[in-house]
Amino acid sequence: MSGECRPVHLPGLFPAPEPEPAAGCDVCGALARQRTHARSAGDLSKVVDCNVEMRRHPHGRK
């Protein structure tokens, strides 16, 4: 081993941009409002939960 340090690449380490609610979807709208409230309350875990749920909501998928 040479003792030389090389960079480590970790895909998926940085968070994806927050999802936008789908237009006209009550579920996405409610999640966006919950996310806003959670962020203002400092509950970042809930913010992430809302983002995950919004991304997994099946718009356009069959």
Side-chain angles (χ1 to χ4, degrees):
M1 199 161 206
S2 68
E4 178 183 330
C5 293
R6 294 185 298 166
V8 175
H9 299 283
L10 302 173
L13 181 64
F14 299 102
E18 286 193 337
E20 292 294 322
C25 177
D26 292 339
V27 172
C28 286
L31 287 167
R33 287 187 297 277
Q34 288 175 28
R35 178 177 66 188
T36 299
H37 179 72
R39 182 175 286 113
S40 67
D43 187 353
L44 298 182
S45 177
K46 179 70 174 177
V47 171
V48 171
D49 290 346
C50 290
N51 287 338
V52 168
E53 195 168 343
M54 203 179 302
R55 281 189 192 99
R56 290 182 177 174
H57 194 219
H59 289 290
R61 290 187 234 149
K62 295 188 179 188

